[in-house]
């Protein structure tokens, strides 16, 4: 078979590239005669810069910015030239305000104070020599509605008049309400039920965001999506953008089987995230698509509706979440080999 391996990152255990390599290794060990092609992907969250760097052959720039806790962090952004000659900066917001930058023990306190200021500083740095600035959203540890980003841009006197601003969102959530930034993602960032309601009230009080609060993607990255929209940003699918730039469609044309995956295949995966983009492309071509994930909590009917034929849990295969994380590569290789043997039958 010709097998296309196109995963997202696996949380904090494997980058998309590392995940693709581990799956390919396990598959090859079980079925050495198959042709395996790797296309590591991202949907705007962690890994956005790394994946696009390989696809666009752009230049990675390094800069020190304000992290989510107010301390200095090292962040990267990518500068590339499009076929029409326009220069594009690709910014991964998680580089400046990612949840991985906040120790787990301080998250119950930082969930209400973590800032997106560093994202504004990245944009300010990219404005000088780029025509388009695309900000990948996802994996944030913040719920400040982009207030930090807006303040940083104002303090730096950044003029975005001649800049095409793009928000590459990995979710379709609005800013407020039961599916909004605070109530959906706040608990993942350490917020208690009481803190969630305070965050909801804080976001609702930001008048600059009122006009865009209901736009799909406004709730991305703790409301950073709404702040970008308030600046005139166009919203695009982060997964769709990566799919286009990495040549995923051409790879799909040559595949007999598609394998995608991420850390947790859950209900959020079905709301505009990468797995659905890959599965949709496979379904358009009548190719089976399966998922390998650290954990799987999506029912067979739901995954089938999204175009995923079957899903395999790494933690279930090795016996526990702890074991799957203890040696993430070995666990993923073993699971991929198991899946390959299942499909060979």
């Amino acid at each position: 078979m010709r097998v296309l391996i196109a995963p997202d990152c696996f949380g904090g255990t494997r980058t998309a590239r590392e995940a693709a390599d581990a799956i390919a290794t396990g598959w090859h060990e079980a079925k050495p005669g198959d042709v395996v092609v790797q296309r590591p992907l991202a949907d705007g969250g962690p890994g956005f810069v790394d994946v696009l760097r390989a696809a666009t052959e752009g230049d990675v720039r390094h800069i020190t910015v304000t992290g989510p806790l107010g301390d200095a962090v090292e962040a990267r952004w990518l500068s590339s030239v499009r076929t029409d000659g326009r220069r594009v900066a690709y910014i991964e917001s998680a580089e400046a305000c990612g949840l991985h930058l906040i120790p787990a023990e301080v998250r119950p306190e930082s969930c209400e104070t973590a800032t997106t200021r560093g994202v504004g500083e990245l944009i300010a740095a990219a404005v000088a020599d780029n025509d388009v600035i695309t900000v990948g959203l996802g994996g944030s540890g913040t719920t400040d509605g982009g207030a930090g980003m807006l303040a940083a841009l104002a303090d730096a006197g950044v003029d975005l008049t001649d800049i095409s601003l793009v928000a590459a969102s990995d979710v379709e959530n609005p800013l407020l309400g039961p599916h909004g930034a605070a109530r959906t993602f706040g608990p993942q960032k350490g917020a208690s039920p009481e803190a969630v309601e305070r965050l909801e009230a804080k976001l609702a009080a930001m008048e600059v965001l009122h006009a865009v609060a209901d736009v799909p993607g406004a709730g991305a990255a703790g409301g950073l999506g709404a702040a970008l929209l308030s600046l005139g940003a166009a919203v695009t699918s982060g997964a769709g953008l990566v799919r286009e730039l990495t040549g995923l469609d051409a790879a799909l044309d040559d595949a007999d089987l598609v394998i995608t995956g991420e850390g947790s295949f859950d209900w959020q995966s079905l709301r505009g995230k990468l797995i659905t983009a890959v599965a949709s492309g496979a379904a358009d071509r009548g190719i089976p698509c399966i998922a390998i994930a650290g954990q799987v909590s999506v029912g067979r009917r739901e995954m089938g509706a999204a175009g995923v034929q079957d899903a395999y849990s790494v933690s279930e295969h090795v016996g526990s979440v702890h074991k799957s994380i203890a040696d993430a590569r070995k666990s993923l290789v073993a699971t991929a080999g198991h899946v390959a043997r299942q499909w060979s039958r």
Side-chain angles (χ1 to χ4, degrees), residues 53-213:
R53 178 186 186 182
T56 66
E57 299 183 350
D59 299 321
V60 174
R61 312 288 178 83
H62 297 260
I63 184 174
T64 301
V65 300
T66 303
L69 301 181
D71 53 343
V73 299
E74 295 300 313
R76 304 166 304 153
W77 57 279
L78 180 70
S79 183
S80 180
V81 181
R82 295 196 319 200
T83 54
D84 61 4
R86 302 187 79 192
R87 293 201 65 88
V88 184
Y90 296 102
I91 290 173
E92 182 181 316
S93 62
E95 286 270 314
C97 66
L99 186 62
H100 67 284
L101 298 174
I102 305 176
E105 62 271 17
V106 306
R107 290 174 188 173
E109 298 177 5
S110 69
C111 65
E112 296 187 68
T113 59
T115 178
T116 55
R117 185 175 183 86
V119 180
E121 293 167 352
L122 281 168
I123 294 174
V127 162
D129 58 355
N130 288 278
D131 307 298
V132 181
I133 296 178
T134 299
V135 183
L137 303 176
S140 78
T142 56
T143 313
D144 73 345
M149 179 199 72
L150 295 173
L153 292 174
D155 291 346
V158 174
D159 183 4
L160 297 173
T161 303
D162 297 323
I163 299 292
S164 295
L165 194 60
V166 179
S169 177
D170 65 339
V171 296
E172 300 171 346
N173 302 67
L175 179 65
L176 304 171
H179 300 296
R183 291 177 177 150
T184 299
F185 306 114
Q188 301 172 7
K189 303 172 186 181
S192 66
E194 295 77 16
V196 165
E197 294 310 311
R198 289 193 294 270
L199 288 168
E200 177 80 1
K202 183 177 177 181
L203 293 173
M206 295 181 65
E207 293 185 9
V208 68
L209 306 183
H210 286 178
V212 297

